Amino acid sequence: MRAQVPVIITIIVSLLGVFQNTNGQPSITGNRRTEVPVYRSKNDSIRLAQIDASLRELSDHEPVDVVVWDRLKDARDQAFREGVLRFRTIYRPSAEYTLYDSLKSIKDLRQVKRLSIANRILRKLPDEVLLCDSLESLEIVNCSLRKIQKQTAHLSKLKSITILNNRAKRPLRLSRNTIITTLVIHGDRPDPLPRSYRKFKELTMLDLSNNVLTSFPNGAVHNRKLNELSLQHNELTLVNDKIKVHSSLEKLALQFNKIEQVPPSITHFPNLIRLSLNHNLITDVTPTISSLSKLEYLSLYNNQLTAVPAGVYAIKSLKIIDLYFNQIESLDSCIRNWSNLQILFIAHNKLLVFPKELTAMHTLEEIYAHDNRLALLPHDIDKLSKLRIIHVNNNLLKDVPLSLLKLEQLEELDISENYMTYIPETIFDFSNLSFISFMNNPWNAATQSFLHKKSKELETRDITIRVSGVLQASH
């Protein structure tokens, strides 16, 4: 019995005229690419198309039968879940690039700085490309490129190559090149990716996003100048991956993968400065992450952490940490180890209280702690003398400590969506204030009157003020 082959079909569905994913968002992701569904079988695509046709037909009749509409919508959701395996990206050439087919009409090829080759079967780059002496960026879209030949090294200004949806059946071969610094390869399967990038000696940035990678690619381990590697939007778990030591890497992007645990092999990037793990399924991080002694930026945005991992607390070099959209209920006293932290993103969690050690973090400049369960702010918050921004909207605050008024550097204050009835009149006296929001608090009558009056008086200052749901921008 023959295995079913996934079917890729672009169809127009919904009354919006573009394909909708399960979250109701349009699939159009930009003017260069379109996401289309990959179906489990041809019958699944037909089934979904038929339901969409019925929905369109029903919408043409007034009044719409709501019962039938809801039944069809439920059937469509079920057909989508059962029939769509994933989305595939269809790429188009960049509008600002010169098209390869137009080269014949250009008398002086030295004018061409950005070139796009699309929809061709290629063993290697065409000879005409090698005559574009001023070429800086090359884009190859929907082709079957098998080799980037050594002659490209004569294009002394060519720094960037982007390959989108390479349809070759074998790994792309790279010849020796000491000019190219940026290589971007996106596609719907990992097979055409080069096994090694070492011949691109000057490579500093490698982007292998959107390639359906299921295991970590070690092909750039010998690229000693590579400092940025992007592996976003793949299917990496890092489980059992034999990650080799990448000693030169400073930036690693692992957003939108399927990582549940950050393994000890993360220490094989000893010189990381920036690590992005957004939009994964992370519940735990190896304690050995603490050995990343140069890490300044760590993002765990939108994961499944219930607490800050111990190893993360131990990274003293951190300047920015992003913990948005997790399930964190408390911050440990170990937060004092973040002695260089400048920005704390901890919004959209379940935080009940700040630890007293927070005010010992004298480098802290920005706190984003909105959408939590905070009932109090630290009574000695004025010890954070460099604090410029604090957003604590949508919490359970009933008041703010008077010490807050001593923060001389404060520029932004958002205390909306809390339970405060009173605020001191000196709340507007910050000399650097540029934004302040008081919306949706149960202010008493005197405070309401004061806030309205004061916001009118500040029309001569360059301050954005939100009071009772109304945005006022003074001039």
Side-chain angles (χ1 to χ4, degrees):
M1 184 174 179
R2 295 179 60 185
Q4 287 184 317
V5 179
V7 179
I8 302 170
I9 299 177
T10 305
I11 59 175
I12 304 299
V13 301
S14 87
L15 302 179
L16 294 177
V18 293
F19 198 91
Q20 302 277 333
N21 63 25
T22 52
N23 294 320
Q25 297 298 319
S27 65
I28 304 301
T29 57
N31 60 359
R32 290 185 57 204
R33 47 183 212 164
T34 304
E35 289 186 355
V36 298
V38 178
Y39 294 98
R40 183 171 55 88
S41 70
K42 183 178 180 179
N43 288 337
D44 289 300
S45 68
I46 294 173
R47 176 188 176 194
L48 195 54
Q50 289 173 338
I51 296 174
D52 283 313
S54 298
L55 283 167
R56 285 195 295 271
E57 183 180 354
L58 184 62
S59 67
D60 291 336
H61 295 82
E62 293 290 347
V64 174
D65 189 327
V66 177
V67 175
V68 177
W69 178 271
D70 288 343
R71 178 172 55 79
L72 286 172
K73 289 288 288 183
D74 290 342
R76 185 186 182 280
D77 290 343
Q78 182 178 353
F80 188 96
R81 289 192 301 270
E82 295 175 353
V84 177
L85 298 176
R86 58 184 174 84
F87 282 88
R88 179 191 177 193
T89 303
I90 302 297
Y91 297 95
R92 294 184 292 274
S94 300
E96 65 272 19
Y97 276 48
T98 301
L99 294 176
Y100 171 75
D101 293 340
S102 67
L103 288 183
K104 294 179 181 179
S105 62
I106 300 175
K107 293 182 179 180
D108 186 2
L109 294 182
R110 289 175 296 181
Q111 298 176 1
V112 180
K113 294 185 177 181
R114 295 184 292 184
L115 180 66
S116 183
I117 307 173
N119 305 311
R120 287 179 171 269
I121 297 175
L122 303 172
R123 286 185 56 86
K124 59 182 181 179
L125 297 178
D127 292 339
E128 292 88 343
V129 175
L130 306 177
L131 299 177
C132 300
D133 294 339
S134 300
L135 193 63
E136 298 174 0
S137 299
L138 176 62
E139 178 184 77
I140 303 158
V141 186
N142 302 326
C143 292
S144 299
L145 185 65
R146 295 177 57 184
K147 180 181 180 181
I148 297 179
Q149 63 268 39
K150 62 182 180 181
Q151 285 84 353
T152 54
H154 300 307
L155 299 174
S156 60
K157 296 183 180 180
L158 181 60
K159 299 295 183 181
S160 173
I161 293 182
T162 298
I163 302 172
L164 305 175
N165 190 28
N166 189 19
R167 297 185 294 220
K169 295 181 180 180
R170 296 180 180 180
L172 178 66
R173 288 183 293 149
L174 307 178
S175 299
R176 191 174 187 276
N177 188 294
T178 58
I179 305 297
I180 296 167
T181 59
T182 299
L183 180 61
V184 178
I185 306 178
H186 296 174
D188 67 339
R189 56 195 178 90
D191 301 356
L193 293 176
R195 291 194 177 99
S196 174
Y197 303 88
R198 66 190 304 171
K199 290 186 177 180
F200 275 25
K201 299 291 184 181
E202 297 298 312
L203 202 63
T204 60
M205 192 277 186
L206 177 61
D207 185 347
L208 301 179
S209 303
N210 295 284
N211 283 298
V212 201
L213 286 166
T214 57
S215 59
F216 190 92
N218 285 302
V221 67
H222 298 293
N223 292 79
R224 299 304 179 191
K225 295 187 178 181
L226 188 72
N227 59 43
E228 184 173 354
L229 176 60
S230 181
L231 300 172
Q232 304 179 55
H233 292 277
N234 281 295
E235 297 183 6
L236 300 174
T237 65
L238 304 185
V239 175
N240 300 323
D241 283 358
K242 296 180 180 179
I243 301 175
K244 296 182 180 180
V245 176
H246 293 64
S247 57
S248 63
L249 210 62
E250 296 180 353
K251 300 177 182 179
L252 178 59
L254 291 165
Q255 300 98 304
F256 293 95
N257 277 282
K258 297 181 178 180
I259 303 168
E260 296 183 10
Q261 294 185 328
V262 180
S265 55
I266 197 69
T267 61
H268 292 176
F269 309 99
N271 289 302
L272 277 186
I273 295 175
R274 184 181 181 94
L275 175 58
S276 300
L277 292 159
N278 308 353
H279 299 281
N280 277 283
L281 306 168
I282 298 171
T283 59
D284 192 25
V285 178
T286 176
T288 58
I289 196 174
S290 62
S291 67
L292 299 181
S293 60
K294 298 181 180 180
L295 196 64
E296 296 180 1
Y297 174 96
L298 174 61
S299 181
L300 289 157
Y301 180 107
N302 193 22
N303 277 281
Q304 297 181 11
L305 294 172
T306 58
V308 178
V312 173
Y313 277 127
I315 306 174
K316 295 183 179 181
S317 55
L318 282 178
K319 292 183 179 180
I320 301 173
I321 187 163
D322 189 347
L323 298 164
Y324 266 41
F325 289 100
N326 280 278
Q327 304 294 320
I328 298 170
E329 295 186 358
S330 65
L331 294 172
D332 196 275
S333 61
C334 293
I335 196 174
R336 61 178 176 268
N337 291 332
W338 293 340
S339 56
N340 293 293
L341 199 70
Q342 297 173 2
I343 304 177
L344 173 61
F345 293 104
I346 190 67
H348 295 281
N349 278 280
K350 298 180 178 180
L351 196 63
L352 298 171
V353 65
F354 282 121
K356 62 180 182 180
E357 288 78 8
L358 177 78
T359 56
M361 300 166 63
H362 300 303
T363 57
L364 206 55
E365 297 181 12
E366 303 176 28
I367 298 175
Y368 300 89
H370 50 89
D371 294 273
N372 275 285
R373 302 173 180 177
L374 294 168
L376 295 170
L377 294 180
H379 68 89
D380 55 349
I381 196 171
D382 58 314
K383 290 183 178 179
L384 300 175
S385 59
K386 293 186 177 181
L387 198 63
R388 297 184 300 104
I389 298 173
I390 179 166
H391 289 196
V392 286
N393 46 299
N394 199 15
N395 275 285
L396 305 175
L397 299 173
K398 293 185 177 180
D399 56 35
V400 294
L402 292 177
S403 59
L404 178 74
L405 306 176
K406 299 178 182 179
L407 293 172
E408 297 180 356
Q409 304 300 318
L410 201 65
E411 299 173 9
E412 293 187 17
L413 174 63
D414 193 341
I415 52 177
S416 302
E417 305 280 351
N418 278 285
Y419 293 86
M420 288 181 279
T421 59
Y422 163 80
I423 196 81
E425 293 193 13
T426 50
I427 197 73
F428 287 101
D429 291 348
F430 298 107
S431 58
N432 296 313
L433 190 65
S434 61
F435 172 87
I436 192 165
S437 181
F438 302 102
M439 293 193 312
N440 298 332
N441 278 278
W443 305 115
N444 59 38
T447 302
Q448 279 185 331
S449 176
F450 147 67
L451 289 175
H452 179 73
K453 178 182 178 181
K454 195 67 176 180
S455 63
K456 291 293 185 181
E457 291 178 4
L458 290 174
E459 289 183 356
T460 58
R461 291 176 59 182
D462 189 17
I463 301 176
T464 298
I465 305 167
R466 286 193 175 102
V467 180
S468 300
V470 179
L471 174 63
Q472 300 180 6
S474 55
H475 303 286

